[in-house]
Amino acid sequence: MNQGIQPGDTGRQTSDTQPFAPPDYPINALGPLAAACRAIADEGQLDAAMAGQCLLSVAALVAQQCADVLTLEGIKPLSLFVLTVGESGDGKSTAEGAALAPIREFQREGARLYAEELRSFEAEMSLRKKGQERPTRPREPYIIAGDSTVEGIRRGFVEGRPSQGVFTSEAAVMLSGYGMNVENRGKSAGAFNALWDRGELSVARGTAGRIQLYDRRLSLHWLIQPEAATEALNDPLLSNIGFWPRFLVAWPSPARPRIAKPFKPAENPAVLDFWSRCRSLLSQHLLTEDCSGLPVIKSSPEAHALASRFFERMEQASKTTNGVLASIRPFGIRATEQLFRVAGILACFGGKNEIDATTMAGAIEIVGYSLEIWRGIFGERFEHESRGDADVLFAWLIRQPGRQASERTMLRIGPKSIRSRSRRDTALATLESQDRIIPAVEAMPDGSFRTLPNTWRAANA
């Protein structure tokens, strides 16, 4: 079984000349989700990491309304923020569809009942006379949204369930939409952070006053293609406010060619068991205003000892100069809270009131896998991609008139892989550091030369 980040590691184990190879996804560590993960991965012909991320995020969605978890820093929600990077055709929709099926079914039935209750409410309102008590408006039953701004999430919590999720196989739409554009990105990310930390949402408006919500629960699963992921993950604003360190990440290996075989999750016993448990947990929480007073899942002495040792290893790996996680320090620092959340979700989903040592050990593997992927994203993987982009850009540049081109031209007609400012700029910086490009110049009538702004020329061999 994959052991994830090892506490004794002091450096990366992938050479600088080889592409990042993701570790094997620790299926067995999923405990009550493992059988469904194997079934979806095998029958859906997709990477186990894709299936595991989808199942774990759905388990968080249904568990977060049933319990909280006691961590080293106090009681925390069982919410998870999950990010999965995958190419088109890697099975994002297949895995998500199988995992979310019971949630969508529950929501559809809730919407039908809500429509009936709303008609009754409106009928009562039409008959209500002045001075009579106003009837209670039914709460919206919606559990998940595919694309939502923080404002939409806030409205959903005010008028609907206190436990919700944003699940989308097109996260690029979410990250490029109104709520996460340049003007609103910091505010939105801050609101997501507060929901993850404390289940709290605060909005202050000049006209409507302050809206303060407590004890809400929000889980996210955003599936995104690599091109869009590269842009979003390198956003300095999101990194500086600790947005991405709150996410468990997976970057599955590219899917292999499939054979023509139907995928029928509704006929697989392991998937059916997963669906049944989701329905059971969903039915345990009524449409109340908030998630206050939930039972608290604690750790057995053996599990607590495992978590304590993990915490100390993460501190050493993150805060020492030669530590394996020094380059992704914020991720290592938050790893222990992620550990307790994952362990609590697996315990809750498995019908346990306590985190035992086996569950905690499994959670260590899952969090360790995520840390390895984060380390690869901000280390070997992007370094390899940057070198590849630089080679592609240079090969294109030497074919241009005068072996030169402007940065604007590169975005407009350059190689497809670098038609984003971040990837173009990284490729240019790589080429400049290798002395393969120089600023372009033009001759003036008086015999002098002037540097062309934002234009580069391939250096002579």
Side-chain angles (χ1 to χ4, degrees):
M1 186 181 293
N2 173 55
Q3 295 300 309
I5 291 287
Q6 296 301 295
D9 287 348
T10 58
R12 297 189 174 96
Q13 299 182 13
T14 306
S15 74
D16 288 341
T17 59
Q18 297 297 320
F20 172 73
D24 292 335
Y25 187 78
I27 300 176
N28 291 337
L30 289 171
L33 310 178
C37 181
R38 289 193 190 89
I40 293 173
D42 292 345
E43 297 187 15
Q45 303 180 70
L46 47 89
D47 193 282
M50 185 71 71
Q53 290 279 95
C54 290
L55 291 167
L56 185 59
S57 57
V58 171
L61 177 67
V62 298
Q64 68 184 10
Q65 64 175 11
C66 298
D68 291 330
V69 64
L70 180 62
T71 74
L72 294 182
E73 297 183 351
I75 297 172
K76 298 291 183 177
L78 285 181
S79 308
L80 283 184
F81 287 4
V82 178
L83 180 73
T84 305
V85 185
E87 297 277 4
S88 178
D90 279 356
K92 295 191 295 292
S93 298
T94 300
E96 185 188 53
L100 277 176
I103 311 301
R104 288 171 171 155
E105 174 193 301
F106 189 89
Q107 181 167 278
R108 181 176 296 180
E109 176 60 20
R112 186 188 65 78
L113 296 174
Y114 172 69
E116 296 176 0
E117 294 172 352
L118 193 59
R119 283 194 292 271
S120 298
F121 167 77
E122 291 171 346
E124 289 184 47
M125 285 294 293
S126 65
L127 298 174
R128 174 175 170 267
K129 296 180 181 179
K130 187 175 181 179
Q132 287 184 329
E133 184 177 353
R134 180 186 177 88
T136 302
R137 185 183 181 87
R139 301 189 72 84
E140 293 180 352
Y142 309 115
I143 308 171
I144 54 171
D147 176 17
S148 185
T149 62
V150 169
E151 178 64 20
I153 292 169
R154 181 203 62 78
R155 191 195 68 80
F157 280 141
V158 169
E159 301 180 5
R161 301 180 70 95
S163 172
Q164 299 186 34
V166 179
F167 285 63
T168 177
S169 58
E170 298 295 339
V173 176
M174 180 83 185
L175 288 166
S176 63
Y178 174 79
M180 294 294 282
N181 64 20
V182 175
E183 292 77 16
N184 298 309
R185 187 170 298 168
K187 179 178 67 175
S188 295
F192 281 124
N193 287 355
L195 281 167
W196 189 87
D197 292 342
R198 305 178 299 278
E200 184 177 325
L201 192 58
S202 177
V203 180
R205 291 204 191 100
T207 55
R210 187 180 184 89
I211 298 173
Q212 190 77 32
L213 303 177
Y214 298 100
D215 297 313
R216 266 54 176 187
R217 300 292 181 265
L218 181 74
S219 282
L220 309 177
H221 188 194
W222 294 351
L223 297 108
I224 190 170
Q225 293 190 10
E227 181 74 19
T230 301
E231 292 274 334
L233 294 174
N234 282 299
D235 186 304
L237 174 62
L238 296 181
S239 299
N240 290 340
I241 64 176
F243 183 64
W244 293 124
R246 289 172 168 82
F247 280 75
L248 288 175
V249 70
W251 194 321
S253 299
R256 299 175 180 175
R258 293 172 293 175
I259 62 173
K261 183 179 72 171
F263 176 46
K264 300 179 180 179
E267 297 180 7
N268 186 283
V271 177
L272 290 175
D273 287 345
F274 173 78
W275 290 356
S276 176
R277 182 57 177 161
C278 286
R279 295 187 189 101
S280 176
L281 290 174
L282 284 171
S283 66
Q284 290 182 22
H285 196 281
L286 301 177
L287 280 169
T288 54
E289 183 176 332
D290 58 39
C291 289
S292 59
L294 295 178
V296 177
I297 296 178
K298 300 180 181 179
S299 304
S300 70
E302 296 79 10
H304 190 272
L306 282 176
S308 296
R309 290 197 293 272
F310 179 83
F311 169 77
E312 292 172 0
R313 293 196 296 266
M314 291 300 100
E315 289 287 296
Q316 288 292 321
S318 303
K319 295 181 178 180
T320 56
T321 303
N322 295 322
V324 67
L325 301 179
S327 62
I328 55 166
R329 185 175 185 270
F331 296 85
I333 291 172
R334 291 197 179 276
T336 304
E337 182 170 341
Q338 295 278 26
L339 170 67
F340 277 101
R341 289 179 184 235
V342 172
I345 290 162
L346 295 178
C348 179
F349 201 88
K352 300 176 181 178
N353 297 320
E354 183 182 67
I355 300 169
D356 58 28
T358 300
T359 302
M360 188 67 80
I364 288 174
E365 290 194 57
I366 293 169
V367 174
Y369 168 87
S370 176
L371 288 172
E372 282 198 20
I373 300 298
W374 279 124
R375 190 175 60 155
I377 285 174
F378 291 112
E380 291 93 343
R381 188 162 207 147
F382 278 0
E383 288 171 7
H384 174 74
E385 289 181 353
S386 297
R387 291 191 296 271
D389 286 347
D391 292 340
V392 169
L393 179 57
F394 186 77
W396 174 85
L397 190 61
I398 62 177
R399 297 194 301 269
Q400 305 312 302
R403 296 165 57 92
Q404 66 186 42
S406 69
E407 294 179 2
R408 182 177 181 183
T409 300
M410 294 173 193
L411 287 183
R412 186 165 53 87
I413 62 171
K416 184 178 179 181
S417 64
I418 59 96
R419 288 185 194 173
S420 69
R421 285 184 172 80
S422 65
R423 295 190 75 158
R424 177 204 64 190
D425 292 346
T426 302
L428 287 172
T430 301
L431 291 174
E432 188 178 18
S433 69
Q434 297 170 346
D435 296 324
R436 296 165 73 186
I437 60 172
I438 57 176
V441 298
E442 69 173 350
M444 303 298 289
D446 61 0
S448 63
F449 292 88
R450 80 174 184 96
T451 301
L452 295 173
N454 303 316
T455 302
W456 298 88
R457 181 171 67 84
N460 294 325

